[in-house]
Amino acid sequence: MKNIKRILAIIGIILLVGLYLSTLLFAIFENPNTYLWFRASVIATIAVPVLIYAYTLIFKYLKQRGDTSDEKKR
């Protein structure tokens, strides 16, 4: 389980670094579609950490709920 968490954390870090770099590049370069890509990148930069946090909260809640139901069965 810990290895899965590490792998997912590394994937999340790589994703966030990629989003930060793309946001920077979209802000620097001039192109007709750059503004749309910049907006999408900024929104994703905000949404991805929020979703990761929400998933961890839900996972912790479901794990605690599952642990208590297992104890009741014994």
Side-chain angles (χ1 to χ4, degrees):
M1 188 64 160
K2 288 186 180 186
N3 288 335
I4 294 173
K5 285 184 181 180
R6 274 192 195 145
I7 292 170
L8 291 176
I10 291 171
I11 291 171
I13 290 169
I14 291 170
L15 180 66
L16 286 174
V17 168
L19 285 171
Y20 295 148
L21 287 175
S22 66
T23 303
L24 177 68
L25 292 175
F26 292 141
I28 292 174
F29 294 117
E30 184 82 25
N31 191 342
N33 295 329
T34 302
Y35 180 69
L36 295 174
W37 287 105
F38 175 75
R39 283 183 22 192
S41 182
V42 169
I43 290 170
T45 301
I46 294 169
V48 167
V50 169
L51 288 175
I52 291 172
Y53 181 71
Y55 289 146
T56 23
L57 285 178
I58 292 169
F59 178 75
K60 285 180 184 178
Y61 173 74
L62 291 176
K63 185 177 177 184
Q64 288 176 356
R65 185 175 170 196
D67 288 343
T68 57
S69 65
D70 288 340
E71 290 175 3
K72 289 179 182 178
K73 291 179 182 177
R74 293 181 187 178

